[in-house]
Amino acid sequence: MGLEQKIGFDRIRLKIAGKCSTAYAASKVENEQFSTDRKEILLRLALVDEMRLICMFEDSFPSGGYLDTKEFLLPLESEAVSIDLPSLKALRTSLDTLHRILAFFSNCKDDLYPALRRLSSSVTYYPEISRSIDAVLDRDGQVRDNASPELAEIRRSLKAKEGTISKRIASILKNAQSEGIVDPEADVSIRDGRVLIPVAAANKRKLPGIVYDESATGKTAFIEPLEVIELNNQVRELQFEEQREIARILQRFTDFLRPYLSELIASSEYIGEMDFIRAKALVALDMRAGLPVISSDGSLSLRSARHPLLEASLRREGKEVVPLTLNLTADKRILLISGPNAGGKSVCLKTVGLLQYMFQWGLLIPSSEISEMVIFDNIFIDIGDNQSIENDLSTYSSHLKNMGEILSHATKKSLVLIDEFGSGTEPAAGGAIAEAVLSRLDEMGVYGVITTHYTNLKLYADSSKSVANGAMLFDGAAIRPLFKLEQGMPGNSFAFELARKIGLPQEIVKDAEERAGSDFVNIERNLRKIARNRRVLDEKLARIKTTDKTLESLTDRYQKELGDIKELKKSILAQARKEAEEIIENANREVENTIRRIKEAQAEKEKTKAAREELKNFREELYREKQSETDAAIEKKMQQIIARKEREAQRKARRSQETELPVEKPVKANEDKTLKVGDKVRLKDNDMVGEVTRISSKYVSVAVGSIVSRIAPGKIEKISNQQYKERSRSTFRPVNHFDDSAIRERKLNFKPSIDLRGERLQPALEIVQHFIDDATMVGVGEVTILHGKGNGVLREEIRKYLRTVPSVKSCADEDINRGGAGVTVVTMDI
């Protein structure tokens, strides 16, 4: 039994072959080999992963029409051979599929499916060949009447002859029925292209003609009347002539096709290659497989890995497989798994071997996409009973032979898998030999997964720097295996517990415990206690890590947002300063006008001079102030400006009273205090006025000038339109609209959906953060995130982040017809 049979990969090959449509793809499945070339493995995986995404999300990519054409194209290189009608139909279907595939890659975005696009770049499609085929064949795949003038003439003559025969035979049948020779219900029959009349055997000599055939019982004779024999012969000759003309048409088409044969054969191989890749992608989808990462530090790290064959079997029974998480590093290269029988040790070993082989064969593996794989030069396995009567090998002898092969040929770049290490012989000797072999494998630096029950091997792993213990967990209370691997501690056999569960007499079990000795029983008991404590500790650590990760993510995000807000705030305050200066300039003009009126009223010159001097000092002080680097300083200076404006307004009011200028009377505010969009309001903090643009449960959006602010309802009061106009004229003139080119550009380029397929986790989260920030800024109500299904890791991480964003109201799966769990719909709280 070979390696593929031992780990179950031969059954994976059968699954892929079953998805193939072409003999080329099926042959590729059979002949594709385990690869050790990093570049080749990466290319194979990239092609399959891209095809997997296409099968999931691209409806325009052809799902059928993958036909073999190479088999009948190769003989056409000889001028003595021409294409036949079925082959021509197959060629048309294949070329149509080729055209649709190439058109798909030509129309998709440049950054999508790069590996498949490179594979397709050298393939050529000749539309003239398809047009020539369409000129010969109709929609149903039959040769057209106008495929040649000669064929059109032959078919016209054939149709006319058949019409004449039909009329004549109908007349003969009617006369024979009236004479009682033929049954009144009888109808003409066509056999071998001849038109015949069914006559009872007793009357066959009454109808002139040739007996062409008889029924199985001999009671009915089929007669070709003499009057239509010649016409039938003429029809037959025309049919032969029609076939000869079709053969000439196909010969002429073959002559036209022959210069393109090399390109067509290459296209046929391309179709077969796409069929092969698509078959692997379909199997990957069935397995819910994903693309792992190639390790850069020599770590083999499987996350949520599942044995695909076992998972399929359990799924048929309505059960779920327990995922495997396993780590081998450059420091801890060998994992020694121990635990109870039927606890899942062999399944762990086979899962590692099968997934590693699938990975280096070029197939996606059923595990989390954050799994890391190592490229090995070879995989060695010793599993099962390999005894051979013919070769005089016992079970243990076969194990020793396999050990010899491993020790002779394994290297640092080998993966060694050994099941039930040391079993099959006397325990003391078997354990000693196993420990010696393990020590040698440790010195060789191989990677390995080994299962055992021997205590001496567990002790060796505990003292070794590069061998780690692992345990298959067991529920001691329920006396059942959990099928979960726990690394870092040896496993317990639970032999006595299992013996009690299956009903072995209690006195037998107790006697066995006494014979085993208290030391052994205590070791087993302590191992169980350590396992329980370890699980509790790990659960706590996992919760702490999750919390720390969430807090770190939130902290980084809030720091970034705070920085952005500060920069934006500085820009807004700078613009506000500029607008304040413009307001002062406007106030200056008003004061000048006031002074002019004072002069005209012949007021005292000293008062006029004092007013001018006060205004000049105020302006000089304003321009001498430098902008502070901190937000607190900017806020303080803005308050100073507002206070000075109020003092200036009071001075103006006093001067206005002195010159007896008319004073405006206050207008009563509208008694209706209910706010609605479009109402005019006054800000209680700074006496500025604005217009309500939006009302939510917590905030009111108010446009003050060209700046929109979100303000609590308690900080504003409703005023009348007349009050709004008067305060606007007396407080400020229309200001320049504040705009930021970067923000304006982000608003113009914003799209309510993003595509994260193919992105790694961390870059994808950064893209989502920017996307949600833009959505919040623009104020859209709903956005969509296309992340694909895969193993669900990317979706879950994205949704964890979205739940921490205050502006996100909810997130859910898209409708099943528009992507289902592969798309997240985000509802914004605007």
Side-chain angles (χ1 to χ4, degrees):
M1 185 183 294
L3 172 62
E4 291 192 2
Q5 289 74 29
K6 289 181 179 180
I7 61 177
F9 187 76
D10 56 329
R11 295 166 62 188
I12 301 295
R13 283 190 191 265
L14 290 176
K15 285 180 176 289
I16 300 171
K19 302 286 187 181
C20 296
S21 300
T22 63
Y24 178 95
S27 174
K28 194 76 181 290
V29 172
E30 183 179 354
N31 297 320
E32 190 86 316
Q33 297 298 316
F34 175 92
S35 176
T36 59
D37 182 83
R38 178 188 177 92
K39 186 176 180 181
E40 176 65 20
I41 293 170
L42 286 173
L43 176 60
R44 292 181 185 181
L45 293 173
L47 291 171
V48 177
D49 189 50
E50 290 177 9
M51 184 61 75
R52 177 179 66 95
L53 296 176
I54 288 174
C55 292
M56 290 172 61
F57 300 109
E58 305 290 358
D59 295 332
S60 59
F61 192 85
S63 58
Y66 298 89
L67 301 178
D68 282 304
T69 58
K70 186 176 180 179
E71 185 176 350
F72 63 76
L73 287 174
L74 285 173
L76 298 183
E77 294 177 348
S78 171
E79 295 185 0
V81 180
S82 63
I83 194 169
D84 57 22
L85 197 56
S87 298
L88 186 59
K89 295 177 186 177
L91 180 61
R92 178 165 71 173
T93 301
S94 179
L95 288 176
D96 177 63
T97 303
L98 175 68
H99 181 219
R100 291 169 60 196
I101 292 174
L102 296 180
F104 171 82
F105 289 120
S106 176
N107 295 330
C108 68
K109 293 189 295 185
D110 292 341
D111 56 341
L112 287 178
Y113 319 122
L116 287 172
R117 287 168 68 93
R118 284 193 297 271
L119 180 65
S120 307
S121 61
S122 60
V123 180
T124 305
Y125 167 71
Y126 292 97
E128 185 60 32
I129 298 177
S130 295
R131 285 194 290 267
S132 298
I133 295 176
D134 290 338
V136 174
L137 299 181
D138 61 16
R139 186 177 299 176
D140 299 324
Q142 302 300 318
V143 178
R144 294 179 181 273
D145 292 349
N146 60 354
S148 74
E150 293 79 7
L151 182 62
E153 180 61 31
I154 291 170
R155 287 185 173 174
R156 277 195 297 270
S157 300
L158 187 59
K159 188 175 182 180
K161 292 292 183 184
E162 289 174 344
T164 302
I165 291 173
S166 179
K167 292 178 182 178
R168 188 63 187 142
I169 202 74
S171 176
I172 295 171
L173 177 62
K174 185 177 180 182
N175 292 336
Q177 288 173 335
S178 64
E179 294 174 2
I181 300 173
V182 178
D183 188 277
E185 302 298 327
D187 201 357
V188 295
S189 177
I190 307 294
R191 298 201 175 190
D192 298 330
R194 316 292 290 190
V195 183
L196 309 174
I197 296 177
V199 181
N203 297 329
K204 64 182 178 181
R205 297 188 183 280
K206 295 180 181 180
L207 183 64
I210 299 173
V211 178
Y212 193 84
D213 197 3
E214 289 185 349
S215 65
T217 60
K219 293 181 179 181
T220 303
F222 294 92
I223 298 176
E224 183 179 17
L226 290 175
E227 297 180 37
V228 298
I229 290 176
E230 182 58 29
L231 290 174
N232 274 338
N233 289 338
Q234 292 176 10
V235 168
R236 195 68 173 166
E237 289 176 1
L238 287 171
Q239 289 174 344
F240 288 141
E241 190 173 348
E242 178 188 27
Q243 294 304 315
R244 288 193 294 271
E245 181 58 27
I246 289 175
R248 285 191 290 270
I249 292 171
L250 294 177
Q251 181 62 56
R252 286 196 295 270
F253 177 80
T254 304
D255 294 339
F256 159 78
L257 196 65
R258 197 165 281 116
Y260 300 99
L261 283 179
S262 60
E263 289 83 359
L264 289 174
I265 291 171
S267 298
S268 176
E269 293 175 348
Y270 170 77
I271 290 291
E273 190 69 27
M274 296 300 284
D275 184 32
F276 169 62
I277 296 170
R278 188 170 181 274
K280 291 201 293 184
L282 292 175
V283 170
L285 286 174
D286 291 343
M287 295 178 179
R288 294 181 296 163
L291 178 65
V293 179
I294 294 185
S295 175
S296 59
D297 60 359
S299 296
L300 172 60
S301 176
L302 291 176
R303 294 285 182 272
S304 300
R306 309 176 309 280
H307 193 291
L309 301 177
L310 176 62
E311 183 178 31
S313 177
L314 292 176
R315 195 182 302 157
R316 288 191 293 269
E317 299 174 8
K319 300 177 182 178
E320 292 290 332
V321 69
V322 179
L324 168 67
T325 295
L326 177 146
N327 291 287
L328 298 179
T329 66
D331 295 329
K332 291 287 186 181
R333 302 181 308 275
I334 300 176
L335 178 63
L336 188 74
I337 304 176
S338 52
N341 286 317
K345 299 189 300 296
S346 297
V347 172
C348 287
L349 182 142
K350 289 183 178 180
T351 301
V352 174
L354 179 57
L355 267 57
Q356 183 66 43
Y357 199 93
M358 289 170 61
F359 166 72
Q360 292 193 230
W361 192 80
L363 192 61
L364 305 182
I365 62 173
S367 71
S368 168
E369 292 185 341
I370 61 173
S371 296
E372 296 186 40
M373 305 298 287
V374 177
I375 297 177
F376 295 108
D377 288 344
N378 210 337
I379 299 177
F380 296 93
I381 187 167
D382 177 48
I383 188 171
D385 185 358
N386 293 324
Q387 64 177 325
S388 171
I389 297 176
E390 293 84 359
N391 297 325
D392 194 24
L393 279 177
S394 67
T395 299
Y396 188 65
S397 298
S398 67
H399 286 313
L400 291 179
K401 182 179 179 182
N402 290 335
M403 293 303 105
E405 291 286 332
I406 294 172
L407 294 175
S408 298
H409 300 97
T411 67
K412 290 183 178 180
K413 293 185 177 181
S414 298
L415 176 63
V416 175
L417 307 171
I418 305 175
D419 192 32
E420 298 294 346
F421 197 25
S423 63
T425 189
E426 195 275 323
I433 294 175
E435 185 174 350
V437 172
L438 178 59
S439 176
R440 178 60 180 149
L441 293 175
D442 189 4
E443 293 174 3
M444 293 169 63
V446 303
Y447 283 72
V449 177
I450 299 172
T451 69
T452 188
H453 287 286
Y454 285 122
T455 303
N456 64 312
L457 298 183
K458 302 176 191 178
L459 296 174
Y460 177 88
D462 188 58
S463 61
S464 172
K465 293 182 179 180
S466 54
V467 182
N469 271 306
M472 299 307 300
L473 299 184
F474 191 87
D475 187 343
I479 314 299
R480 64 180 180 87
L482 299 177
F483 305 109
K484 184 177 180 181
L485 174 66
E486 183 80 16
Q487 288 189 231
M489 56 175 293
N492 191 319
S493 67
F494 290 93
F496 301 127
E497 288 80 356
L498 290 172
R500 289 189 180 94
K501 182 179 180 181
I502 65 175
L504 205 64
Q506 180 65 29
E507 60 272 15
I508 299 294
V509 177
K510 187 175 181 180
D511 184 38
E513 289 179 333
E514 292 175 355
R515 291 175 182 273
S518 60
D519 291 343
F520 177 82
V521 175
N522 289 334
I523 289 174
E524 295 283 300
R525 186 179 295 113
N526 289 333
L527 285 175
R528 290 196 295 272
K529 185 176 180 181
I530 292 171
R532 286 194 299 271
N533 294 338
R534 177 69 179 270
R535 283 199 299 274
V536 173
L537 178 60
D538 285 348
E539 288 174 0
K540 291 182 178 179
L541 287 176
R543 287 196 296 270
I544 293 171
K545 287 181 180 179
T546 302
T547 304
D548 287 347
K549 184 177 179 181
T550 303
L551 289 175
E552 184 179 350
S553 176
L554 285 173
T555 302
D556 293 342
R557 177 172 152 268
Y558 288 148
Q559 289 288 352
K560 182 178 180 299
E561 289 181 355
L562 182 61
D564 293 342
I565 291 171
K566 286 182 177 180
E567 290 298 322
L568 183 60
K569 187 174 182 180
K570 287 180 181 179
S571 299
I572 293 174
L573 290 176
Q575 183 69 17
R577 174 181 288 277
K578 182 178 178 181
E579 293 175 358
E581 292 175 358
E582 292 176 353
I583 291 172
I584 298 303
E585 290 291 340
N586 189 41
N588 179 35
R589 285 192 292 272
E590 292 182 4
V591 172
E592 291 290 340
N593 290 335
T594 302
I595 294 174
R596 179 176 53 78
R597 289 196 297 272
I598 292 173
K599 285 184 176 181
E600 292 174 354
Q602 295 182 351
E604 295 181 4
K605 292 184 179 181
E606 290 299 326
K607 289 185 178 181
T608 302
K609 184 177 180 181
R612 284 180 175 275
E613 188 64 28
E614 184 178 357
L615 178 62
K616 179 180 178 182
N617 292 338
F618 176 75
R619 291 179 62 190
E620 289 177 352
E621 181 182 355
L622 178 65
Y623 286 115
R624 280 197 306 268
E625 291 177 344
K626 294 183 180 180
Q627 183 177 357
S628 174
E629 294 296 328
T630 63
D631 291 336
I634 294 174
E635 292 277 4
K636 183 177 179 180
K637 290 186 179 297
M638 287 302 299
Q639 293 297 328
Q640 291 173 354
I641 292 173
I642 293 171
R644 287 165 186 159
K645 284 170 55 183
E646 291 176 350
R647 290 197 300 271
E648 178 63 23
Q650 293 172 359
R651 285 194 294 268
K652 286 174 60 180
R654 287 196 300 271
R655 287 196 295 269
S656 176
Q657 291 176 353
E658 291 174 359
T659 56
E660 297 182 350
L661 293 177
V663 179
E664 296 176 342
K665 296 181 179 181
V667 181
K668 292 185 179 180
N670 193 343
E671 296 300 326
D672 184 8
K673 299 300 182 180
T674 303
L675 289 176
K676 59 182 180 296
V677 175
D679 282 349
K680 306 301 186 292
V681 296
R682 181 182 70 84
L683 278 64
K684 295 179 180 180
D685 291 342
N686 52 26
D687 207 38
M688 299 184 74
V689 295
E691 181 178 345
V692 176
T693 60
R694 181 179 295 176
I695 300 175
S696 65
S697 58
K698 296 181 180 180
Y699 299 99
V700 177
S701 296
V702 179
V704 180
S706 59
I707 299 176
V708 178
S709 303
R710 295 173 65 186
I711 304 172
K715 295 186 178 181
I716 60 175
E717 65 178 1
K718 186 174 179 181
I719 61 176
S720 66
N721 289 336
Q722 183 63 30
Q723 287 176 305
Y724 174 78
K725 292 178 181 179
E726 291 172 355
R727 289 180 181 275
S728 297
R729 284 196 299 267
S730 63
T731 305
F732 60 84
R733 65 181 180 87
V735 297
N736 293 330
H737 176 66
F738 171 76
D739 197 4
D740 183 275
S741 60
I743 295 176
R744 183 171 65 253
E745 183 178 357
R746 289 170 68 183
K747 288 184 177 181
L748 291 174
N749 296 330
F750 179 78
K751 296 180 180 179
S753 63
I754 54 170
D755 186 349
L756 300 178
R757 291 176 293 171
E759 294 287 349
R760 291 292 176 190
L761 179 60
Q762 195 57 40
L765 288 176
E766 293 177 0
I767 293 172
V768 170
Q769 289 176 7
H770 291 297
F771 177 64
I772 295 299
D773 288 344
D774 291 349
T776 304
M777 178 184 65
V778 174
V780 296
E782 184 177 278
V783 294
T784 56
I785 302 173
L786 174 59
H787 44 64
K789 297 179 181 177
N791 291 312
V793 175
L794 182 58
R795 179 186 65 177
E796 290 304 319
E797 291 299 323
I798 289 174
R799 293 190 179 183
K800 284 180 183 178
Y801 163 70
L802 292 175
R803 294 187 189 103
T804 66
V805 180
S807 60
V808 172
K809 186 176 182 180
S810 65
C811 55
D813 290 346
E814 177 61 280
D815 184 85
I816 189 65
N817 296 322
R818 293 191 293 273
V823 181
T824 293
V825 179
V826 183
T827 303
M828 307 297 294
D829 187 10
I830 60 172

